[in-house]
C-alpha cells in the first residue's frame, strides 16, 4: 500500500499547504526553491500550484528570482 503522503500528493497536487512540513519539503524539492522563496510565492499568488509554477517561470525568465531574494 502507498504511503499516505504519496496518496495525498497524488490526489491533491493542485494546492500547496504550508502548514504540512512534508508538503513544504516536497514542493521546495519539486520547484527547486527554498522554503522562504516558496512562502513568498504563495503570499504573492496563492496556493494553487499552476499559479505558483507560472509565477516562478516568469521570475526565472526575467531573472527576478535572485533580485527578489
Amino acid at each position: 500500500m502507498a504511503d499516505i503522503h504519496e496518496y495525498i500528493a497524488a490526489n491533491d497536487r493542485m494546492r500547496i499547504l504550508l502548514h504540512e512540513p512534508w508538503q513544504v519539503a516536497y514542493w521546495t524539492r519539486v520547484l527547486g526553491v527554498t522554503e522562504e522563496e516558496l512562502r513568498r510565492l504563495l503570499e504573492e499568488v496563492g496556493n494553487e500550484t499552476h499559479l505558483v509554477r507560472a509565477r516562478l517561470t516568469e521570475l526565472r525568465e526575467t531573472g527576478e528570482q535572485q533580485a527578489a531574494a
Side-chain angles (χ1 to χ4, degrees):
M1 181 165 196
D3 178 80
I4 188 67
H5 297 142
E6 291 174 16
Y7 174 80
I8 293 170
N11 289 292
D12 192 17
R13 291 196 174 162
M14 298 178 70
R15 289 182 182 75
I16 300 171
L17 304 175
L18 290 177
H19 66 275
E20 296 287 348
W22 70 268
Q23 280 213 13
V24 173
Y26 174 82
W27 287 109
T28 55
R29 182 173 40 88
V30 167
L31 297 173
V33 297
T34 66
E35 182 176 342
E36 182 180 315
E37 291 169 325
L38 181 63
R39 289 182 183 281
R40 197 172 315 130
L41 284 165
L42 268 64
E43 285 177 15
E44 187 176 333
V45 299
N47 70 346
E48 294 183 41
T49 57
H50 71 282
L51 297 175
V52 173
R53 288 178 188 269
R55 181 62 179 142
L56 187 56
T57 298
E58 289 173 7
L59 292 172
R60 287 179 174 163
E61 287 176 352
T62 61
E64 291 180 38
Q65 184 180 10
Q66 289 77 27

